[in-house]
Amino acid sequence: MKITVNGEDQLLDGPISVSGLLVQLGISGGKVAIERNLEIVPKSAYENIVLADGDRIEIVHFIGGGA
Amino acid sequence: MTDQAIEKLGGVAADDAMGDDRLIIAGRTFSSRLIIGTGKYKDYAENAAAAHASGAEIVTVAVRRVNLSDPSAPMLVDYVSPEKYTFLPNTAGCFTGEDAVRTLRLAREAGGWSLVKLEVLGDEKTLYPNMRETLRAAELLIKDGFEVMVYCSDDPIMAKELEDTGCCAIMPLGAPIGSGLGIQNPVNIRLIVEQAKVPVLVDAGVGTASDAAVAMELGCDGVLMNTAIAEAKDPILMAVAMRHAVIAGRAAYLAGRMGKRLYADPSSPLAGLI
């Protein structure tokens, strides 16, 4: 299964949940926000939502930034 | 600078004469009227030291993609803690209302905060705001439950429209972002301050301490800055300077300056001259 994460193609052995994806990428879920096909995925749904082929995922966090 | 030297210069709280003068934004109360950005610093450690030295209680932060090739890279929140500072997610770099709304929805999900800074840019060279898009995005965000502090042009009519839309703070630029040119149009800033019923903060354009004092003397409720501190040769010392400038400018505004005269007026009495 192929999905896009932050603009990069990722080949995964499906099926995989959002939580599973974070583990695979080595990202701690507490400090990020996730968008799946332009829809925000609530943290409470990370376990239950299973990714589908072609999904476009954005994983963002806070960085330094000003005015 | 050593911590001790910073405390000596900047550790003194506002004098008692200032009373309980506080900045209130969307029902939240702050002692400091200085908001600082967290961009352009050498590293997060310097950033944290400058934030501490500035006395700021609010810091702006950006929302960006996690670096997938190095997810364990240092993170802002490990140095500048959201427990200690109010994080103000901003939409710097967004050129459409949709981008801004999308960014802030993600920010709310990541941090759980509804107080945000909206900034919709219109031009890459000047980073001047696109006010039509800004107004549209403000409406969308407010409907969605956000409390919006808005970066805007120094046009009093646009400022009024943003306030009428429900923005909780109006933040006109003093000069282009990152230019350090100081307050270019004090007349407009004063007009915006006079008419506003919500806090007005100069956002962008401050270059040195006197610029921040000028903004506060015009009656602004606060100042937001990033580059003036981050690009100073000694950012920590400049953070201390800005802390004092904002306090001094505020005190001067509250004190009410003397009238200007065209000619001299002696300070010593003329009666009893020998």
Side-chain angles (χ1 to χ4, degrees), chain A residues 35 58-59 61 63-66, chain B residues 38 62 64-66 90 102 226:
Chain A
E35 205 183 52
E58 291 286 343
I59 307 174
H61 65 160
I63 66 155
Chain B
T38 54
R64 292 291 182 271
R65 284 172 166 171
V66 170
N90 80 42
R102 183 181 173 204
N226 190 153

Side-chain angles (χ1 to χ4, degrees), chain A residues 40 62, chain B residues 26 28 63 88-91 100-118 137-149 165-169:
Chain A
I40 286 178
F62 292 112
Chain B
R28 297 163 171 81
V63 178
L88 187 66
N90 80 42
T91 61
V101 171
R102 183 181 173 204
T103 299
L104 290 177
R105 282 184 178 148
L106 280 165
R108 182 166 60 183
E109 180 61 26
W113 311 298
S114 58
L115 183 68
V116 294
K117 174 186 157 181
L118 172 65
E139 283 168 359
L140 290 170
L141 288 166
I142 289 162
K143 264 189 211 140
D144 200 11
F146 285 95
E147 291 156 306
V148 179
M149 300 175 70
T165 300
C167 290
C168 67

Side-chain angles (χ1 to χ4, degrees), chain B residues 151-226:
Chain B
Y151 167 68
C152 56
S153 61
D154 60 8
D155 173 356
I157 308 301
M158 285 311 308
K160 183 76 170 56
E161 286 203 26
L162 288 165
E163 184 177 345
D164 291 345
T165 300
C167 290
C168 67
I170 306 298
M171 306 204 290
L173 51 79
I177 292 170
S179 70
L181 289 169
I183 314 298
Q184 292 296 297
N185 200 339
V187 174
N188 278 24
I189 299 293
R190 184 182 54 80
L191 288 173
I192 292 170
V193 167
E194 274 181 14
Q195 74 184 8
K197 292 182 180 64
V198 296
V200 175
L201 297 89
V202 159
D203 178 358
V206 165
T208 188
S210 53
D211 299 331
V214 166
M216 296 308 294
E217 286 172 22
L218 287 168
C220 288
D221 299 277
V223 183
L224 195 163
M225 65 180 72
N226 190 153

Side-chain angles (χ1 to χ4, degrees), chain B residues 18 213 216-217 247-257:
Chain B
M18 301 272 288
M216 296 308 294
E217 286 172 22
I247 292 170
R250 177 66 180 174
Y253 171 73
L254 293 176
R257 63 153 295 147

Side-chain angles (χ1 to χ4, degrees), chain A residues 5-8 10 25-28 30-35 38 40-44 46 56-67, chain B residues 37-39 44 60-66 68 71 75-78 89-90 92 102 105-107 109-111 113 117 119 177 203 224 226:
Chain A
V5 182
N6 289 359
E8 293 173 22
Q10 302 268 341
L25 293 171
I27 294 168
S28 150
K31 295 167 176 173
V32 300
I34 298 179
E35 205 183 52
L38 299 177
I40 286 178
V41 182
K43 287 189 199 301
S44 56
Y46 285 3
R56 282 170 301 126
I57 307 293
E58 291 286 343
I59 307 174
V60 301
H61 65 160
F62 292 112
I63 66 155
Chain B
T38 54
Y44 283 144
T60 64
V61 295
V63 178
R64 292 291 182 271
R65 284 172 166 171
V66 170
L68 297 181
M75 290 176 88
L76 173 71
V77 291
D78 296 330
N90 80 42
R102 183 181 173 204
R105 282 184 178 148
L106 280 165
E109 180 61 26
W113 311 298
K117 174 186 157 181
E119 166 178 328
I177 292 170
D203 178 358
L224 195 163
N226 190 153

Side-chain angles (χ1 to χ4, degrees), chain B residues 28-101:
Chain B
R28 297 163 171 81
T29 304
F30 303 95
S31 304
S32 170
R33 293 176 175 274
L34 175 58
I35 300 177
I36 69 166
T38 54
K40 296 185 176 176
Y41 287 93
K42 185 180 67 185
D43 51 37
Y44 283 144
E46 183 184 74
N47 192 337
H52 176 68
S54 75
E57 294 163 312
I58 307 175
V59 296
T60 64
V61 295
V63 178
R64 292 291 182 271
R65 284 172 166 171
V66 170
N67 181 356
L68 297 181
S69 58
D70 186 11
S72 61
M75 290 176 88
L76 173 71
V77 291
D78 296 330
Y79 290 83
V80 180
S81 167
E83 313 278 305
K84 185 174 171 196
Y85 296 95
T86 296
F87 268 35
L88 187 66
N90 80 42
T91 61
C94 290
F95 281 79
T96 67
E98 279 71 22
D99 283 349
V101 171

